[in-house]
Amino acid sequence: MATLLAIEASPRSAAVSTELAERFIDHWQSGHEDGIVIRRNVSLEPVPLLDEAWIEAAYTAEADRTPEQRAALVVSDQLVDELIAADTLVIATPMWNLNIPAALKAWIDQIARVDRTFKFTNTAPSGLLSPSKQVVIFTTRGGSYGYGSAMFDYQEPYLRAVLRLLGLRDIRFVHAENQGFSPEVARASRDAAHEWITELPLKGRA
Ligand SMILES: Cc1cc2nc3c(=O)[nH]c(=O)nc-3n(C[C@H](O)[C@H](O)[C@H](O)COP(=O)(O)O)c2cc1C
């Protein structure tokens, strides 16, 4: 059964990033009528930050873990299982202070797991997630970060790099920029993003 995992990062009830993700989910469901959708809003239901017990457990070989160490990884294991099972990963995030909200970073810290989603080699880390998993990322920004912008977008380069490190290759971004400008300008950017959504290819088991 095709599975879509949506990670939503805005705490706002009228979030544009969530609206875009939900529009894509509708589009995806039109092609996968029996598909499974799992949603997590990591701002409204935060995942824990990493602590020393987590780090010790994650870097202990699975066979050698104590019951306490296994317990320290329960949340992370569940989040990793969800991610591995998903054919399509949707991330919906506002830009906050040029990057992603800390709540989304907390999710990334939980799913970047040695020997589950990446492994160390003699040269560099190597991703363990399927390169054919589809990733669609919706971002919303108050300003704009395209050619000629005086500000630097740390969000897209960071997300591309960390997801690539985990093995993901099929990564598409849809940005709704200028949300801090007049209602007309903001609306035009949202409308353009909505149009992109219907152009996005749908992947997943039939
Ligand atoms: C705490 C905070 C930090 C923000 N930082 C930026 C920023 O660095 N650059 C930017 O263009 N917009 C910034 N914004 C504006 C948001 O990205 C913009 O309002 C976005 O549309 C919100 O997305 P949402 O509707 O999905 O919550 C910030 C907004 C907040 C609340």
Side-chain angles (χ1 to χ4, degrees):
M1 186 96 55
T3 304
L4 180 151
L5 171 64
I7 303 297
E8 299 169 342
S10 177
R12 297 192 329 111
S13 52
V16 175
S17 52
T18 310
E19 172 198 307
L20 295 173
E22 293 300 324
R23 178 63 72 92
F24 177 76
I25 292 169
D26 288 346
H27 174 52
W28 184 87
Q29 283 181 314
S30 69
H32 301 95
E33 281 174 15
D34 300 327
I36 297 169
V37 175
I38 298 169
R39 288 179 182 79
R40 277 189 183 274
N41 185 309
V42 291
S43 274
L44 299 180
E45 290 179 50
V47 302
L49 300 179
L50 307 190
D51 56 15
E52 185 172 7
W54 189 101
I55 296 166
E56 292 297 326
Y59 287 88
T60 298
E62 192 181 352
D64 299 334
R65 280 182 201 139
T66 64
E68 292 75 22
Q69 286 179 322
R70 284 183 219 286
L73 295 176
V74 164
V75 171
S76 173
D77 279 332
Q78 187 190 347
L79 298 176
V80 169
D81 289 345
E82 278 175 5
L83 177 59
I84 290 173
D87 307 292
T88 298
L89 169 65
V90 174
I91 297 177
T93 180
M95 176 181 276
W96 279 5
N97 303 311
L98 305 180
N99 211 319
I100 57 173
L104 178 57
K105 178 62 164 55
W107 178 81
I108 291 171
D109 288 341
Q110 289 285 353
I111 57 92
R113 273 279 299 281
V114 67
D115 294 334
R116 291 219 60 198
T117 57
F118 75 96
K119 65 180 179 187
F120 289 109
T121 69
N122 286 337
T123 49
S126 171
L128 295 174
L129 293 177
S130 167
S132 68
K133 195 186 297 291
Q134 179 184 28
V135 184
V136 185
I137 301 177
F138 297 101
T139 80
T140 44
R141 290 111 181 254
S144 66
Y145 294 80
Y147 181 73
S149 168
M151 294 186 294
F152 190 77
D153 167 14
Y154 289 88
Q155 206 176 34
E156 177 171 342
Y158 167 68
L159 287 169
R160 277 195 189 282
V162 73
L163 296 175
R164 198 178 162 79
L165 185 146
L166 305 180
L168 300 172
R169 295 290 181 272
D170 181 0
I171 303 171
R172 285 180 177 78
F173 279 81
V174 176
H175 301 294
E177 298 196 306
N178 292 331
Q179 294 306 300
F181 288 79
S182 69
E184 296 74 29
V185 169
R187 181 78 251 168
S189 185
R190 291 214 294 278
D191 287 348
H194 278 286
E195 267 193 58
W196 271 108
I197 288 171
T198 54
E199 307 275 321
L200 289 169
L202 298 177
K203 269 179 140 177
R205 283 159 257 174

